[in-house]
Amino acid sequence: MPGYPPCNFPGRLARAGWRIIFACLALSARLDAIPLPLEYHTRTWTVEDGLPHNSVSQTMQDSTGFLWFATLGGLARFDGREFREMRPPAEYRPRGFNIRGLAEERPGTLLVASTGPAVLRLAGTQWSVHPVTQSLTALNDSADEMLVDRDGNVWVTTYGRRLLRCGPDGKTETVVDAGPPGRGRRFTVASDDKGRVWIAADSTLGVFRDGAWQRDESTRHEQLMIAPGRSGRIWVCTARRLQRLEDGALKRELEQAPWGGELGYVRFLFEDSRRRIWILTSRGGFFCYEDGRLAAVPVPHPNPRHIAEDREGNLWVATDGHGVGQLGEKAHRIFSVANGLEHEVVSGVAEAPDGRIWLANRPGGLVSIAPDGTREVSASRGPGRSYANIVCVDAKNRIWFAGARNGVRRWTPGTLEIAELLPRPHPTVHLLYRARNDDIWFVGDPGVVGYYRDDKLHLLSGEKGFTAADVRAIAEDRAGDIWLGGRTGELLRWDGTRIERFNAPQGLPANPIHGIAVDAAGRLWIATAAGLVIKEGDAFRLLTQADGLADDLLEQVLEDDHGQLWFASRRGIFFVAKSELLAVARNGGRVTSHLVGRNQGLPSVQSIMNYAPAACKSRDGQLWFATAQGAIVIDPRKLPRDLPSPPVLIDEVRIDGRTVAPVKNLRVGPGAQRVEFRLAALTFTTPENVVVRHQLEGVDRDWTDTGAERTASYLNLAPRDYRLRVMARNSAGRWNTAGATLAFTVVPAWWETFYFRAGLAASLTALTAWLARTFAQRRLRLKLRQLEQDHALEKERARIARDLHDDLGASLTEVGLLADRLVGSAPRELGPQLSGLAWRTRRLATELSGIVWTMSESNSSLDRLAEFLRRYAERLFRNTGVSCVASGVEAIPAVPLAPDPQHQLLAASKEALNNILKHARATEARIELSYVRDIFEVRIVDNGTGFVLEGSAKPRGNGLRNIRLRLEEIGGSSEITSGPGCGTQVVLRFPCVAGAPPS
């Protein structure tokens, strides 16, 4: 084919062995034809993918967007991802599962022609019999093809060569009876833009008018087949010619058609949305007619039976025994051994100023691809014999290349001499790059980086900030700075004088850098072994598979002319919209990656690492990638772009595994544990790149991606009304924001109803009131009993205190006075004993007064305790030679105090005061009382001899130890400080909240 490269398209069709080769479309020798401007790839579905049978008789797309396939094994519906077999009830398929014809009677209702006389209706999942079945049964005939006209009439051609018309009222009439069937003899019908139905029978063409078939005797030909066309025209095809019927007149399009004679008769005729006419013949001739030119499409299997087109422009070919294939425009070419290269691996690719693409073909040497796709430099001449790992072209169209340990070489095309060997720093070079000033940069092992300028070698050295780095990526920004990236994850910038380093602490992950691209805004797009790093200004942002990238291990990165970034990875070649990448880098979220692979007819490829340049964008916008399977060139312009937003619907509802129809105002019964919704986005162009999201209002706060399963599941939904919303985005990035909605209600169980809950609430309220009343009465009785006991106890305490004061206190006072009187009259040796007896008696009386004081309920407060401590100290130190002063008593509030804390505080204070009297040898003592921030503090200080504390905290005597223990028992604390000649200080602290009842 002139103007196209020699291509080999071995497109294998999976699992069934069917291969359709749409490559370099051949011209018929009998036609003055030109090749079609498009090349096609194909993808096939067979029984292993869910198709009921590999023999497919018809395919169609309904108004909703589903594809339907009539097969020998039954009817299948396809949503782009999976098949769903729609099997009619047993009574409707007496002769097996074979489905012969399909038509859409009205939106949501399909007509299905089975092997028997029955024509069935399928509405949703409900099957019924169409009225035309009665006439077919009476004629002992069966349907072949069906057509529904604009008035709702159903036209049925039969295998007995009859044409029936069934009106909307169900009344059926026989329009044509053409006699017994024969080879190649059949009816075809088509409707024009005026609603007229044209009928072709044998060699006669006619129109249905005034209730009858009116033959046009002037149009007698050999066997006829007709098909509806665009703009209301009808296409008429015979064994010799192709004609169009417009305004009732035949106009010739093509004479001497090649499909007659030995190739048999025309099997199917179809016009697609681009107004190309596809002609399928009975013996394998497959032709396409466009703009007055015809091309024969060679196929290895002569079994295509039917062809149809979906809304996105994909063509679907039904075959007899080889499944169904999808045809799409091919956006790629592969240059490999099959196209004349000596070696399969291409490790370098670069564009020359004259538009040629140069490939480094390793032992195959250098190969040039001209702009028209022809290979120009053979590996058998010139420098092609030289091993080439990488290639670069300067502004003078001179070729720079390097191979296996032979350094950098340069060759001028058109000369046959051996390429000159340039000054080299090291024989192994794996990177070449031409800067805008025509410097040729190189990277060699180990860690050698430099450039050639005017044939002079310049190396980056330590004096300029460069240390040995294993560089594997290079790019130039708008300012002319050179960016280098290496295996250690270091990013370097050369500004012409020094190296600047950007490493992990500044946000760049320490992972090998494989490729760098700089966009027009100066951003760096860095392909690493752990994802994509975006450098925007001084900020770095890493995107990975978790952010929607197809792979983390990226090897090359390119920007096309359509706002997309392309990546070569271990999973293949994919692209992402740059706007999406920036939005996710700045605000979070997920991007959509578009793999170019099976759906575009591109086999699995392994891109090249450690050599650069291994990818480039040519001046015509095509992208070239060096791979282990050859050089792959992709034209982004041929990828689907203006696709309509995909129809999205809620296809099925499952309640605890039971399938129900997603009807309006669906009611989910009580006790349902799991409600699952199966969703469908009806697009057939790269359906794996479709994003489907759902949100259940009142449950989901935000939209949720359904993932690959396309289901939304909810557990234990509360009884109330819900609304599920679904929307989808296709591979072109277009959202169907209107989406689909389903309102449903989860019905409450009887115990969840309002009346039950109201009754239960009333009963619980009554029971709670009764229990509260009973509990309150019981508590009141217990409280009264406790008060009685407390009153009796208080009376008993008062009696004991009164008796102690009146009897024991009086007796002790009397004994003390008696001892004082006897001191003067007693013998000298008894005087000291009597004086000691008098002092002890008075002290015992003082202690007794303290016991009596604590037994009085009226003294249970801090202010009364403070006043008692002052009086107690005055009595204790009277006539002892120790001066004692108490301060802060008046500032103590009347905070209630429980008996136990009162007793322990009083006992600890007494112990401290008695220690001063017995051991301190002091002349002065102070008692400081305070109440600050709910802490009652007693500070007792003397100027005595003091003592040495053992350790730093714990006192050694029992008295001081008892002080500490008493305060700990009531939740307080004590602090004792002393030293020889420094006196002693005892601090007692007790938390007591003002206004709180004593505990």
Side-chain angles (χ1 to χ4, degrees), residues 703-841:
W703 291 92
T704 303
D705 289 351
T706 61
E709 296 301 321
R710 301 280 167 84
T711 59
S713 298
Y714 296 90
L715 300 175
N716 301 319
L717 290 174
R720 62 184 180 87
D721 294 332
Y722 294 92
R723 191 166 80 113
L724 180 68
R725 300 175 59 201
V726 185
M727 64 179 181
R729 183 185 68 180
N730 62 14
S731 59
R734 183 169 296 176
W735 282 99
N736 181 343
T737 54
T741 60
L742 177 65
F744 66 97
T745 301
V746 177
V747 179
W750 62 269
W751 61 85
E752 296 175 311
T753 61
F754 170 78
Y755 299 104
F756 175 79
R757 290 182 174 179
L760 181 61
S763 301
L764 289 175
T765 301
L767 178 61
T768 302
W770 178 79
L771 290 174
R773 182 172 180 274
T774 303
F775 178 75
Q777 290 178 342
R778 183 172 181 272
R779 185 176 181 183
L780 180 60
R781 287 195 297 269
L782 292 175
K783 189 172 183 179
L784 289 174
R785 186 179 305 167
Q786 183 67 35
L787 289 174
E788 292 174 355
Q789 292 176 355
D790 293 344
H791 183 64
L793 179 61
E794 185 60 31
K795 289 178 62 178
E796 184 64 19
R797 290 176 61 190
R799 185 189 65 78
I800 294 174
R802 187 170 56 251
D803 290 346
L804 288 174
H805 182 272
D806 294 345
D807 296 337
L808 185 57
S811 299
L812 290 175
T813 302
E814 184 179 353
V815 171
L817 292 173
L818 180 60
D820 284 335
R821 286 197 300 269
L822 290 176
V823 169
S825 60
R828 181 175 298 175
E829 63 272 13
L830 294 178
Q833 287 85 349
L834 290 174
S835 295
L837 176 62
W839 180 81
R840 287 181 175 85
T841 302

Side-chain angles (χ1 to χ4, degrees), residues 151-173:
D151 297 323
N153 298 302
V154 178
W155 298 80
V156 181
T157 66
T158 73
Y159 278 87
R161 290 173 48 76
R162 298 180 177 92
L163 177 63
L164 309 180
R165 183 175 76 100
C166 181
D169 57 358
K171 183 179 179 181
T172 303
E173 61 177 323

Side-chain angles (χ1 to χ4, degrees), residues 1-7 23-27 34-39 372 374:
M1 281 178 17
Y4 285 82
C7 298
C24 304
L25 298 176
L27 302 179
I34 63 172
L36 288 177
L38 298 177
E39 297 175 347
D372 63 0
T374 58

Side-chain angles (χ1 to χ4, degrees), residues 145 186-188 200 202 205 222-227 234-238 242-243 265-270 280:
E145 293 184 357
R186 58 181 300 193
F187 278 111
T188 52
D202 294 335
L205 178 65
E222 61 269 30
Q223 287 294 124
L224 289 172
M225 171 166 282
I226 62 175
I234 301 293
W235 288 98
V236 180
C237 189
T238 71
L242 178 66
Q243 304 173 92
Y265 59 92
V266 176
R267 202 174 205 181
F268 191 73
L269 186 65
F270 175 73
L280 282 64

Side-chain angles (χ1 to χ4, degrees), residues 622-645:
Q622 298 191 88
L623 308 178
W624 291 77
F625 295 92
T627 76
Q629 289 78 30
I632 294 177
V633 55
I634 297 176
D635 190 347
R637 297 169 299 182
K638 292 186 178 181
L639 292 173
R641 293 191 179 279
D642 299 325
L643 296 176
S645 59

